[in-house]
Amino acid sequence: MNRRARKSQGSERRVFRPKRPFPYLVVFRQLVAGLLMLAAGLGIAVLLQQLPQQVDVVLLVSEAIADLIRGIQQLLEAMLGLAAIVVIASLVVLACVLSFGGVWRLIRLVRMLLKRNPQGRR
């Protein structure tokens, strides 16, 4: 089959299409969503306008910054304590490894010396 024959079989050209109805439901949804968003935005703006009368904003911000600084300070102190624990634990492991290594070398030295003496007496 050639290309033209396949095209004409798969999709026929529609000359007269039925007219689509007006999408009232889509328009209504968009209108409702827009009005709700507008009402929410205006309500939040009014709330923010009345906020300085009820709450001292400068005091609130300064307390929040002070709490943030205290929190960062506590975090740094905790990290410093954790680092000290890691350093102490690594020193303990290093001391154990060095001690066991030293004892092992001394045992090998003693074994080497004990095996050498009987051969030297002959």
Side-chain angles (χ1 to χ4, degrees), residues 48 51-67:
L48 289 174
L51 188 64
Q53 297 170 0
Q54 298 172 357
V55 177
D56 188 11
V57 177
V58 176
L59 180 64
L60 182 69
V61 170
S62 65
E63 286 180 3
I65 292 173
D67 289 342

Side-chain angles (χ1 to χ4, degrees), residues 9-102:
Q9 287 177 355
S11 62
E12 293 183 12
R13 186 174 172 193
R14 288 184 160 178
V15 178
F16 300 104
R17 295 184 187 171
K19 191 174 182 182
R20 291 184 182 174
F22 189 75
Y24 291 108
L25 186 62
V26 174
V27 172
F28 180 71
R29 275 192 220 154
Q30 291 290 330
L31 178 68
V32 169
L35 288 176
L36 286 175
M37 290 174 69
L38 183 64
L42 290 175
I44 291 173
V46 169
L47 176 79
L48 289 174
Q49 184 70 25
Q50 294 176 357
L51 188 64
Q53 297 170 0
Q54 298 172 357
V55 177
D56 188 11
V57 177
V58 176
L59 180 64
L60 182 69
V61 170
S62 65
E63 286 180 3
I65 292 173
D67 289 342
L68 179 65
I69 291 172
R70 278 193 294 267
I72 291 173
Q73 181 181 2
Q74 287 179 351
L75 177 66
L76 291 175
E77 288 176 3
M79 289 175 63
L80 186 62
L82 185 63
I85 290 172
V86 168
V87 167
I88 291 171
S90 63
L91 287 175
V92 167
V93 170
L94 181 64
C96 290
V97 168
L98 289 175
S99 299
F100 289 139

